Amino acid sequence: MFIADLLREKPVTVSCELFPPKCGTAFDNAPEVVERTVALQPDFISVTCSAKAAGNNVEMASHVRACGATPLAHLTCVGASKAGIDEMLDTLTLRRIHNLLALRGDIPADGPAERGYTYASELVSHIKARGDFSVGAACYPEGHVESAGLEQDLVHLRAKVDAGADFLITQMFFDNNILYRFLYKALAHGVNVPVLAGVMPVTNRSQIERILKLSGTTLPPRFLNILDRFGDSPIAMRQAGVAYATEQIIDLIANGVRGVHIYTMNHPEIAGEIMHNIRYIVEAGCEAQHVQRNVG
Ligand code: FAD
């Protein structure tokens, strides 16, 4: 199913993200991670891509599909030639993977080897012109790390939507008010496609330190207190991380957010706990959206 259609039809969606194993490392537990994530019945499962895991994301996304779930394959263009991207699109078409998250990717310190496409908006436009793909793109509630500010980033985000992006997935955030402000501003910039809120359950201190360095995401005092207090106790941090993500999602759905994307970090058991915690919330959210649509 095209994710664009799913988002039109379903009042509230919950999706999960997985990452493929690096090339040269064992693929052994990747099928099991996929199968256990599919068993949670998310609306779709996205699979990240990186040069280090080249090819494995197509394998993993294909396994998602073989298990009966809808895959969303991430595709980055940094360092790729136009011919290389076309080759990848042909492969994805052959594997009947019709949902893509079109990204630029992070620029390597020594610069990209190839410059087929400079920005994600160009990639979105190219994929849409080929047809037969539902295309999503990334967005950043606090602004992208390279941009001069949120306003400038929103202008570029609008270009991705104008190029044909059907939906957006946010970078993680830990203060829902940051997302709500972003959604208002995005709408004011003409960004009128569904925005799925990316939620990351933080279950260990080193994981978040690494991610913060790359993304520039800020941590609210409430979260910092949790990290300070429980960061050295893996079992307590895990419980607190699941509880924090659960609360974030409840608040998001209560405030009308229609899509939640869980950064599972390949831990289906953690995603499972969160999905169990929110099962009635999602049901009630769907009913509330139905009523709102029928009245409106
Ligand atoms: P772009 O939209 O091209 O934006 C990059 C920067 O360029 C921004 O600062 C933007 O404001 C600016 N810009 C855009 N257009 C213009 C223009 N015309 N003129 C001047 N400036 C411009 N990375 C991976 O390697 N693999 C993944 O699987 C992956 N998945 C991700 C999933 C999500 C949901 C998110 C939020 C990020 C993901 N990333 C992934 C990270 C992403 O690749 C990086 O954040 C990257 O630095 C930017 O990618 P982008 O697609 O947002 O780029």
Side-chain angles (χ1 to χ4, degrees):
M1 183 181 205
F2 284 132
I3 290 174
D5 293 335
L6 171 79
L7 297 175
R8 250 190 305 276
E9 285 165 22
K10 209 160 171 213
V12 177
T13 61
V14 179
S15 48
C16 291
E17 179 173 298
L18 299 177
F19 59 85
K22 285 182 190 157
C23 295
T25 62
F27 202 79
D28 302 355
N29 84 332
E32 192 202 329
V33 167
V34 168
E35 286 148 28
R36 289 176 59 203
T37 308
V38 169
L40 303 174
Q41 299 186 309
D43 289 292
F44 66 86
I45 298 175
S46 85
V47 181
T48 66
C49 68
S50 74
K52 288 180 192 149
N56 283 349
N57 88 316
V58 178
E59 288 310 317
M60 210 167 177
S62 298
H63 195 54
V64 168
R65 196 177 176 284
C67 292
T70 300
L72 168 68
H74 295 205
L75 177 64
T76 54
C77 58
V78 70
S81 64
K82 289 192 171 178
I85 292 289
D86 278 336
E87 210 175 295
M88 182 53 113
L89 293 174
D90 290 341
T91 304
L92 290 161
T93 304
L94 274 176
R95 298 288 190 105
R96 291 191 287 154
I97 296 168
H98 297 300
N99 295 292
L100 298 181
L101 192 71
L103 301 143
R104 185 199 66 185
D106 287 323
I107 298 175
D110 52 354
E114 295 265 6
R115 288 182 184 272
Y117 301 94
T118 308
Y119 297 111
S121 54
E122 296 163 25
L123 182 63
V124 171
S125 173
H126 178 69
I127 300 171
K128 288 306 275 192
R130 277 181 58 124
D132 222 22
F133 285 103
S134 179
V135 181
C139 64
Y140 304 85
E142 299 178 65
H144 184 253
V145 273
E146 286 168 32
S147 69
L150 184 55
E151 287 298 315
Q152 192 198 62
D153 204 33
L154 282 166
V155 171
H156 298 143
L157 183 60
R158 168 71 191 266
K160 290 200 263 200
V161 173
D162 288 347
D166 298 306
F167 60 95
L168 302 167
I169 303 183
T170 75
Q171 182 169 263
M172 84 210 76
F173 53 89
F174 295 94
D175 176 351
N176 287 357
N177 288 319
I178 290 177
L179 180 84
Y180 301 142
R181 275 199 299 275
F182 168 77
L183 291 176
Y184 285 124
K185 286 186 177 177
L187 210 52
H189 277 78
V191 173
N192 55 6
V193 295
V195 179
L196 312 187
V199 173
M200 172 166 288
V202 176
T203 53
N204 72 68
R205 192 205 293 270
S206 57
Q207 167 200 4
I208 192 65
E209 280 168 354
R210 208 175 45 247
I211 291 164
L212 291 185
K213 228 166 86 187
L214 290 173
S215 68
T217 306
T218 53
L219 293 181
R222 200 167 81 84
F223 188 87
L224 281 170
N225 291 343
I226 290 173
L227 208 57
D228 285 347
R229 187 75 176 177
F230 305 120
D232 294 328
S233 163
I235 193 153
M237 193 56 223
R238 184 187 189 286
Q239 194 167 40
V242 167
Y244 195 93
T246 300
E247 278 184 30
Q248 253 196 297
I249 296 173
I250 294 172
D251 181 72
L252 290 168
I253 296 177
N255 280 284
V257 169
R258 291 190 42 209
V260 173
H261 189 64
I262 304 174
Y263 292 111
T264 68
M265 306 302 286
N266 285 11
H267 290 299
E269 67 287 355
I270 289 172
E273 280 177 43
I274 295 170
M275 288 175 77
H276 177 81
N277 289 346
I278 60 169
R279 64 201 186 285
Y280 300 125
I281 302 291
V282 174
E283 258 178 48
C286 285
E287 279 164 24
Q289 292 284 355
H290 268 309
V291 171
Q292 206 175 323
R293 278 188 203 178
N294 292 337
V295 171

